[in-house]
Amino acid sequence: MRVVSLVPSLTEAVAVTLPAVLVGATDWCSHPADLDVTRIGGTKNPDVDAVVRLAPDLVVANEEENRETDLAALRAAGIEVLVTEVRDVPGALRELDRVLAACGASGRPRWLDEAEAAWAGPAAPDRRRTAIVPVWRRPWMVLGRDTFAGDVLARLGVDNAYARHQDRYPRVPLAELNAAGADLVVLPDEPYRFTAEDGPEAFPGLPCALVDGRLLTWYGPSLAGARTRLDAALRADGR
């Protein structure tokens, strides 16, 4: 089996579970740290010809992270493409099972059982908070409806202020964000790298929680420890 992954979180899941099958991944696939495969460009602009030259039996992709035009080109070249759809934690666990089985896994890896157990607990603490969750600035973009990261936060007692917006990643002027009535701002370090010096100053008077973007947005081995680590970050920085 030869697999190319166009999704960083799926790359990590396959590489940790079935390291011998992965032959190609995107430039953004940063985990595992020692990943040694052919790089085939970005998630939004993969080198389709480079993927074809690798002669994969399967390409794993995601409906949000990858463009349909690229996936159609791969199919036209005779390559099987598995496209995941992930909008919440249970969906992520199901899709991980499906991807690993398609890649040849004979059983469930231990990390996936641990991830399922970690997220099986009660979803809502006694006190809930409402948060703005920027994912970009210049222009400001935030989490909107129906996102995996939004569901992760909801399970930690943090409701997304824009969860009912018609767009999944709406562009919202900064003045409107500050007037939204949220009591917390969650600032991940990807896709935009928010830091203590770049982000909190835009929200005077609001507590800001700086969080590891991989823990918030990746569905893979990081899920096993994400709940505990994110909860700690939200409690430490978002009081």
Side-chain angles (χ1 to χ4, degrees), residues 117-195:
W119 289 96
D126 293 337
R127 183 174 73 90
R128 300 195 67 83
R129 291 173 290 173
T130 299
I132 298 161
V133 191
V135 294
W136 203 258
R137 69 182 299 175
R138 295 185 292 272
W140 286 95
M141 296 176 65
V142 298
L143 289 186
R145 64 171 179 83
D146 226 9
T147 66
F148 171 76
D151 185 60
V152 165
L153 289 171
R155 292 167 186 273
L156 296 172
V158 177
D159 298 317
N160 177 15
Y162 288 88
R164 297 184 181 278
H165 197 283
Q166 64 180 357
D167 298 326
R168 296 186 67 211
Y169 298 96
R171 297 185 180 188
V172 183
L174 182 58
E176 183 178 325
L177 294 178
N178 275 297
D183 47 34
L184 174 67
V185 181
V186 177
L187 297 171
D189 62 6
E190 62 173 72
Y192 185 91
R193 188 172 180 78
F194 289 105
T195 68

Side-chain angles (χ1 to χ4, degrees), residues 2 17 20 32-33 36 46 50 64 71 73 94 98 100 103 109 113 117 122 156 179-181 205 210 220 237:
R2 293 172 62 83
T17 308
D36 183 17
E64 176 182 305
L71 305 183
R94 289 193 300 270
R98 186 165 73 102
L100 294 176
C103 291
D113 286 334
L156 296 172
L210 295 164
D237 298 325

